[in-house]
């Protein structure tokens, strides 16, 4: 990963994918954002990094439901990318991983 | 701040073609006034209530608006070909009619093709490079013409089918570009999904509450004290929805009970909380909701006219048909109701079956109408296992009208018969009856002849005796004659009375009617007599007490208390007895609301904007991180919504 200054152009600074788990859905702006703990980026210990301290992640909604809210639930694993590349503060969720749910 | 450079560049024509939410939804209260073949023709003889008048007014306004649009579309279509020719000949065309990606200054290149630079997206951005000739002007114009034709046809159909029955939708023909003013500063997801104030201000929720119907009457089958009251012949209180001058409690009962029993459409249980309501609202005003809000789970499908199906948290389903509805079954149709079923129709109702119609009520069947009850059939068979009762002030049996003029027969009293009707239907029996009548007349004549003969005998006797016998014998003969005359007079009187249906003293037949049971006795309705509320005499007070304490009243707490309050107002009683048990409680709280809330100055983006400048390469306090690696506060995700023009405090 490059360490030089960022250009702030999507893709110019690399395109970083992530997988994370949804922990919160109560977006005060009501635009469908969620708190996602991203594997490899955020501490899995919720005491050292609480859900509230996680960055808000936007959901990329399908063009056929442009005003729809995401329907994934807390606990779902999601896939996405960072708008701000290696800064990792602006996650965008593009999809949900189907899973066999376990206790 | 604007909308991040976005600008809706749709022309007036495009906006007119685009879907839009209705300006106003309403329901017509008139079911029988249709425009039909003669648009706008409403009989001048029709007397309209204020509510009806408002509906008619709204309908006419909507129709006028629709008519204007139709005319405009037709004109536009007529000018279309001329404009197309102008366009294809290379001249620029009217900007107001520019649609479907053509810039108003577009010109046609040789060969009838547009250049890529002539094409403009709705957003105002130029389209990318296009293969020359990939879009022909003729194709675009044909598409546009087709759209105009379709719209004109739709408007024409809507206009011809226009009716003021059912849903009235006032369309917004002055459509504005996006974003709509009412959506500024709000998330672009559905208001119904947002919950709270945003949802409460949504026209769908407002209209659903406005159109919730209450107080729908239920058939009672037989007259009650209340229906008897409102249908009373005196009609004194029929026009009142409240009894003037009396307690609100009584008036409430009065209003509710005018129809004896009512039901109401359940109000929408909308109580969605973000983000549980998965809702979609479309441009023209439709909505679909899948609401997972705990305790308020709903499914709701809503059409812009107001028609909707809503499944409530408890499983109730409310179906609303603003424009009427149809159920067409090509095979059997079964309806099963475990509870009570109410069908209330404001207009007329028809049940037609080509086969047999069976009605069965295991606990009884009551039919009640305020007007005539007519039954027409080839044969009517009424069979009662026990008692059969027919009651009425006048009972007309076609051949016999009761009460008629009774005549005495050897077996008792008989009513007079309608001989003309009998002769027409039963000439043979009519002949027999005529014969009996004739015999009766002969008998009467015989009696009369007897009287006349006796009179002649008396006169003869008197004359002879007065001439040939002594005074004593003559006097006896005169006395005998006088007695016979008196006898004749009595006979004549009896004949006359019999003829007129009057029985001589002591000969009238006696009928022993059984005493009426309490259920059969007519119950006087105190509310049907307004004097019951006005009189202040002790007799009136007793009257009220008697009628207000009937078992029926005592069994209805609401009614009983209302009457008690009325008596209290009238001074009949000093207090309402019996009082309800228990003690009235007063909520107590130790929490006092502060006069004003503390002001907290949160930091927002404007606090940072322009106030910091740093070298992106500068390191942060002895670490390997640089300013350039910090999050740019101007592009933080939580303030990046394009619709938010004001600083947002998180």
């Amino acid at each position: 990963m490059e360490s030089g200054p960022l250009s702030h152009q999507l893709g110019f600074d690399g395109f970083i994918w992530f997988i994370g788990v949804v922990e919160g859905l109560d977006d005060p702006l009501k635009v469908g954002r969620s708190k996602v703990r991203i594997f490899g980026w955020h501490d899995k210990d919720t005491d050292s990094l609480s859900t509230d301290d996680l960055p808000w992640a936007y959901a990329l909604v399908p063009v056929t439901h442009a005003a729809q809210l995401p329907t994934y639930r807390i606990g779902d694993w999601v896939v996405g990318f960072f708008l701000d590349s290696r800064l990792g503060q602006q996650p965008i969720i593009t999809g949900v991983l189907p899973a066999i749910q376990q206790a | 701040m604007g909308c991040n450079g976005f600008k809706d560049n749709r022309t007036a024509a495009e906006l007119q073609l685009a879907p839009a939410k209705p300006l106003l939804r309403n329901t017509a209260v008139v079911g029988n006034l249709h425009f039909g073949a003669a648009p706008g023709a409403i009989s001048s003889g029709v007397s309209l209530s204020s509510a009806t008048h408002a509906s008619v007014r709204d309908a006419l306004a909507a129709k006028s608006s629709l008519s204007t649009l139709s005319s405009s579309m037709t004109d536009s279509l007529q000018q279309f070909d001329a404009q197309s020719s102008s366009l294809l000949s290379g001249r620029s065309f009217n900007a107001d009619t520019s649609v479907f990606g053509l810039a108003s200054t577009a010109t046609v290149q040789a060969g009838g093709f547009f250049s890529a630079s002539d094409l403009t997206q709705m957003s105002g951005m130029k389209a990318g490079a296009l293969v020359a000739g990939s879009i022909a002007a003729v194709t675009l114009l044909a598409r546009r013409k087709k759209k105009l034709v379709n719209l004109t046809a739709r408007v024409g159909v809507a206009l011809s089918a226009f009716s003021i029955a059912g849903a009235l939708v006032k369309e917004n023909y002055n459509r504005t570009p996006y974003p709509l003013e009412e959506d500024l500063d709000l998330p672009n997801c559905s208001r119904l999904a947002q919950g709270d104030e945003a949802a409460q201000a949504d026209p769908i929720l407002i209209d659903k509450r406005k159109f919730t119907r209450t107080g729908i009457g239920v058939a009672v089958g037989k007259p009650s004290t209340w229906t008897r009251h409102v249908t009373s012949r005196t009609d004194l209180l029929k026009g009142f929805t409240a009894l003037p001058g009396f307690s609100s409690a009584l008036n409430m009962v009065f209003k509710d009970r005018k129809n004896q029993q009512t039901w109401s459409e359940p109000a929408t249980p909308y109580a969605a909380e973000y983000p549980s309501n998965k809702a979609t609202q479309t441009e023209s005003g439709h909505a679909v909701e899948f609401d997972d809000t705990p305790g308020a789970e709903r499914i709701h499908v809503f059409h812009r006219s107001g028609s909707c199906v809503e499944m409530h948290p408890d499983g109730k389903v409310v179906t609303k048909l603003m424009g009427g509805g149809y159920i067409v079954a090509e095979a059997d149709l079964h309806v099963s109701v475990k509870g009570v079923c109410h069908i209330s129709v404001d207009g007329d109702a028809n049940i037609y079956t080509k086969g047999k119609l069976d009605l069965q009520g295991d606990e009884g069947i009551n039919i009640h109408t305020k007007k005539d009850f007519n039954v027409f059939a080839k044969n009517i068979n009424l069979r009662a296992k026990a008692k059969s009762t027919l009651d009425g002030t006048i009972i007309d049996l076609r051949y016999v009208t009761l009460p008629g003029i009774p005549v005495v027969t050897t077996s008792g009293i008989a009513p007079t018969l309608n001989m003309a009707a009998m002769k027409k239907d039963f000439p043979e029996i009519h002949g027999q009856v005529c014969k009996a009548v004739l015999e009766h007349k002969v008998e009467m004549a015989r009696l009369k002849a007897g009287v006349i003969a006796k009179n002649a005998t008396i006169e003869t006797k008197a004359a002879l005796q007065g001439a040939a016998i002594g005074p004593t014998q003559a006097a006896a003969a005169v006395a005998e004659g006088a007695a016979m005359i008196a006898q004749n007079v009595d006979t004549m009187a009896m004949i006359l009375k019999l003829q007129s249906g009057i029985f001589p003293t002591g000969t009238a037949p006696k009928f022993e009617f059984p005493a009426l049971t309490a259920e059969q006795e007519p119950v006087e309705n105190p509310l049907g007599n307004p004097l019951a509320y006005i009189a202040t005499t002790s007799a009136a007070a007793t009257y009220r007490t008697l009628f207000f304490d009937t078992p029926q009243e005592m069994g209805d707490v609401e009614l009983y208390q209302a009457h008690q309050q009325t008596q209290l107002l009238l001074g009949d009683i000093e207090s309402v007895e019996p009082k309800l048990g228990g003690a009235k409680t007063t909520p107590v709280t130790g929490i006092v609301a502060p006069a004003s809330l503390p002001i907290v100055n949160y930091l927002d983006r404007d606090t940072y904007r322009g106030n910091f400048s740093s070298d992106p390469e500068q390191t942060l306090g002895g670490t390997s991180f640089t300013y350039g690696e910090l999050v740019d506060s101007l592009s933080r995700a939580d303030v990046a919504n394009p619709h938010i023009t004001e600083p947002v405090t998180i």
Side-chain angles (χ1 to χ4, degrees):
Chain A
M1 186 181 295
E2 294 181 26
S3 58
L6 293 171
S7 67
H8 298 295
Q9 295 288 319
L10 183 63
F12 282 36
D13 301 318
F15 198 82
I16 301 174
W17 294 92
F18 68 80
I19 294 177
V21 59
V22 177
E23 289 192 359
L25 296 166
D26 291 326
D27 176 9
L29 292 183
K30 300 182 178 178
V31 293
R33 298 177 308 172
S34 52
K35 294 283 191 181
V36 177
R37 191 174 298 274
I38 297 169
F39 305 142
W41 285 73
H42 299 139
D43 196 324
K44 69 178 180 182
D45 182 2
T46 54
D47 289 332
S48 60
L49 180 61
S50 70
T51 300
D52 288 344
D53 291 333
L54 293 170
W56 285 113
Y58 270 100
L60 206 63
V61 294
V63 293
T64 51
H65 295 79
Q68 181 69 280
L69 292 173
T71 55
Y72 48 67
R73 296 170 294 183
I74 289 175
D76 281 347
W77 283 24
V78 292
V79 177
F81 64 91
F82 291 114
L83 269 182
D84 52 354
S85 184
R86 62 181 182 273
L87 294 183
Q89 298 300 310
Q90 297 182 48
I92 301 288
I93 298 169
T94 56
V96 183
L97 288 174
I100 305 296
Q101 300 182 75
Q102 296 172 354
Chain B
M1 192 175 77
C3 295
N4 286 358
F6 170 79
K7 190 180 176 190
D8 188 345
N9 279 340
R10 286 180 295 176
T11 64
E14 285 172 319
L15 286 170
Q16 207 167 47
L17 288 171
K21 283 183 281 190
L23 274 183
L24 186 72
R25 270 184 290 265
N26 215 334
T27 51
V29 296
V30 187
N32 297 323
L33 289 178
H34 293 265
F35 290 100
I42 296 176
S43 166
S44 59
V46 177
S47 177
L48 303 178
S49 66
S50 58
T52 307
H53 180 265
S55 277
V56 172
R57 184 197 59 209
D58 289 349
L60 289 175
K63 181 171 180 285
S64 171
S65 175
L66 201 61
S67 178
T68 305
L69 179 69
S70 174
S71 171
S72 160
M73 288 290 105
T74 307
D75 291 346
S76 191
L77 200 56
Q78 285 171 350
Q79 295 166 10
F80 187 85
D81 290 336
Q83 288 177 355
S84 301
S85 302
S86 172
L87 179 66
L88 292 171
S89 65
R91 294 193 296 274
S92 61
F93 64 106
N94 191 341
D96 287 341
T97 55
S98 166
V99 290
F100 307 125
L102 294 176
S104 60
T105 55
T107 55
V108 181
Q109 294 179 335
F113 299 115
F114 293 100
S115 67
S117 61
D118 290 331
L119 299 170
T120 307
Q121 292 184 357
M122 299 300 181
S123 64
M125 296 173 67
K126 292 289 183 186
L130 292 175
V131 178
S134 62
I135 300 177
V138 174
T139 307
L140 286 174
L141 290 171
R143 261 188 230 163
R144 179 185 165 205
K145 184 174 182 180
K146 189 179 177 188
K147 284 234 176 190
L148 277 171
V149 169
N150 287 344
L151 181 67
T152 308
R154 284 204 304 273
V155 171
V157 168
L159 194 60
S160 64
F162 197 85
S163 160
I164 56 173
L168 289 180
V169 174
K170 188 175 181 184
E171 298 291 359
N172 177 12
Y173 293 126
N174 296 313
R175 295 163 188 178
T176 54
Y178 289 132
L180 301 178
E181 194 176 342
E182 64 264 27
D183 290 337
L184 291 176
D185 298 339
L186 282 175
N188 62 347
C189 68
S190 159
R191 282 172 175 265
L192 296 172
Q194 295 170 41
D196 297 336
E197 294 86 353
Q200 298 304 326
D202 190 278
I204 289 179
L205 207 49
I206 292 171
D207 284 353
K208 274 182 74 77
R209 287 173 177 151
K210 186 172 80 176
F211 297 145
T212 302
R213 288 189 61 191
T214 58
I216 301 167
V218 170
V220 291
K222 57 184 178 182
S224 68
T225 54
W226 290 88
T227 49
R228 283 176 53 184
H229 154 55
V230 296
T231 57
S232 70
R233 238 186 327 182
T234 53
D235 208 19
L236 288 172
L237 295 178
K238 197 173 178 181
F240 286 83
T241 53
L243 297 172
F246 295 103
S247 76
S248 58
L250 178 64
N251 278 330
M252 181 185 68
V253 175
F254 177 81
K255 193 174 179 182
D256 286 351
R257 300 299 172 82
K258 275 188 84 170
N259 285 321
Q260 181 68 18
Q261 193 183 342
T262 60
W263 62 274
S264 298
E265 172 194 345
T268 176
Y270 178 91
E273 291 175 2
Y274 179 89
S276 299
N277 191 14
K278 282 72 180 179
T280 299
Q281 282 177 273
T282 64
E283 290 169 287
S284 71
H286 308 314
V288 178
E289 295 178 82
F290 291 91
D291 190 354
D292 292 328
T293 304
E297 298 86 353
R298 296 172 307 120
I299 294 177
H300 182 207
V301 180
F302 183 90
H303 181 265
R304 68 196 300 271
S305 65
S307 295
C308 59
V309 177
E310 188 167 30
M311 300 179 193
H312 290 219
D314 58 1
K316 269 200 301 284
V317 179
V318 176
T319 305
K320 191 141 190 165
L321 316 172
M322 295 289 279
Y326 300 86
I327 296 178
V328 179
E330 297 293 348
D332 296 343
L333 180 66
H334 302 275
V335 179
S336 173
V337 180
K338 274 201 171 182
V340 178
C341 179
H342 294 310
I343 298 176
S344 306
V345 182
D346 283 359
D348 297 337
N350 291 298
I351 297 177
Y352 170 66
T353 169
K354 288 185 178 176
K356 196 172 63 173
L357 177 65
D358 290 323
L359 288 177
Q360 179 177 344
D362 288 352
E363 300 296 327
I365 295 177
N366 298 310
I367 299 174
H368 174 220
T369 175
K370 294 172 183 173
K371 295 190 177 175
D372 296 343
F373 175 60
N374 305 307
V375 179
F376 302 100
K378 186 177 179 184
N379 297 305
I380 296 177
N381 307 304
L382 297 174
R383 296 277 185 274
K385 278 191 176 177
K387 186 180 172 186
S388 180
T389 306
L390 179 63
D391 190 13
T393 311
I394 295 174
I395 298 173
D396 189 347
L397 297 175
R398 183 172 172 86
Y399 305 116
V400 183
T401 301
L402 300 174
I405 300 170
V407 295
V408 176
T409 68
T410 52
S411 58
I413 296 173
T416 54
L417 302 179
N418 182 346
M419 299 304 287
M422 183 170 277
K423 184 181 180 183
K424 183 181 173 190
D425 296 341
F426 302 102
E428 202 171 302
I429 296 178
H430 175 259
Q432 294 173 11
V433 172
C434 285
K435 187 181 173 189
V437 170
L438 187 62
E439 288 172 354
H440 178 72
K441 284 182 178 173
V442 168
E443 175 61 15
M444 296 288 278
R446 191 186 63 78
L447 282 173
K448 286 180 184 174
V451 170
I452 292 165
K454 277 187 180 178
N455 284 343
T457 306
I458 291 162
E459 286 171 6
T460 307
K461 273 189 176 179
L464 289 173
Q465 287 171 350
I469 59 177
T472 307
Q473 289 173 316
V478 168
E480 188 185 352
M484 290 178 74
I485 289 170
Q487 223 174 27
N488 281 350
V489 168
D490 286 346
T491 306
M492 285 300 294
M494 190 175 77
I495 291 168
L496 290 173
K497 282 182 178 178
L498 283 172
Q499 282 177 332
S500 60
I502 300 171
F503 295 95
T505 308
T507 61
K510 290 180 181 176
F511 298 98
E512 294 294 333
F513 289 100
L516 295 177
T517 63
E519 288 179 352
Q520 289 173 316
E521 279 186 8
V523 178
E524 187 171 355
N525 174 21
L527 293 178
N529 178 10
L531 293 175
Y533 297 100
I534 297 169
T536 55
T537 61
S538 60
T542 308
Y543 176 87
R544 283 191 285 267
T545 305
L546 279 173
F547 283 116
F548 287 177
D549 287 348
T550 59
Q552 186 190 358
E553 313 297 316
M554 294 292 279
D556 187 329
V557 175
E558 198 179 39
L559 197 58
Y560 177 76
Q561 288 194 334
H563 286 168
Q564 289 272 298
Q565 285 200 5
T566 305
Q567 286 182 279
L568 196 66
L569 279 173
L570 294 169
D572 296 347
I573 53 177
E574 292 181 351
S575 62
V576 175
E577 296 291 348
K579 289 178 180 172
L580 293 177
K584 188 179 177 185
T585 58
T586 306
V588 177
T589 176
I591 302 172
V592 180
S596 61
L597 294 171
I599 297 172
V600 180
N601 288 320
Y602 293 102
L603 299 179
D604 55 37
R605 57 187 295 180
D606 282 344
T607 310
Y608 294 98
R609 183 185 292 160
N611 290 333
F612 297 92
S613 60
S614 60
D615 180 2
E617 299 298 329
Q618 185 181 343
T619 55
L620 292 172
T623 67
S624 60
F625 291 101
T626 64
Y627 271 117
E629 290 174 309
L630 284 177
V631 176
D632 183 353
S633 63
L634 286 177
S635 60
R636 278 187 52 179
D638 55 359
V639 290
N641 187 293
H643 292 294
I644 297 171
T645 58
E646 295 298 325
V648 177
T649 303
I650 304 300

